Amino acid sequence: MSPEQLESAHDVDARTDIWALGVLLYECLSGRLPFDAEHLGALAVSTARSEPKALDAVVPGLLPGVASTVWRALRKRPDDRFRSV
């Protein structure tokens, strides 16, 4: 669930799907989720407040631009993400 979905279902648009794509790409490339917690409440807090570990630090040797593309898709503010896929 994107950070804006955690705050209010009324503030959600297509950019929440871009965030979800970023999560999937992060997991596919690294084998782990960008946010980790022992229970749902802690996961929600982590998603809303913390940044994932840099993808290129988790997966050395990525092609230039891959990590930054995933990072931009995972930006907390929808306005900082890509406008469309």
Side-chain angles (χ1 to χ4, degrees), residues 6 13 17 24 28 36 45 49 57 59 62 69-70 78 81 84:
L6 292 170
D13 61 22
D17 294 331
L24 289 170
C28 287
D36 189 27
V45 170
R49 296 190 180 159
V59 185
L62 285 176
T69 298
V70 174
R81 296 180 205 141
S84 67

Side-chain angles (χ1 to χ4, degrees), residues 38-82:
E38 292 186 29
H39 56 81
L40 186 58
L43 181 59
V45 170
S46 178
T47 299
R49 296 190 180 159
S50 55
E51 297 296 334
K53 187 170 183 178
L55 185 58
D56 51 357
V58 177
V59 185
L62 285 176
L63 292 173
V66 173
S68 63
T69 298
V70 174
W71 183 259
R72 185 170 173 193
L74 289 174
R75 298 300 303 240
K76 300 290 183 201
R77 291 176 7 104
D79 288 341
D80 294 339
R81 296 180 205 141
F82 297 100

Side-chain angles (χ1 to χ4, degrees), residues 2 12 41 49 64 73:
S2 67
V12 174
R49 296 190 180 159

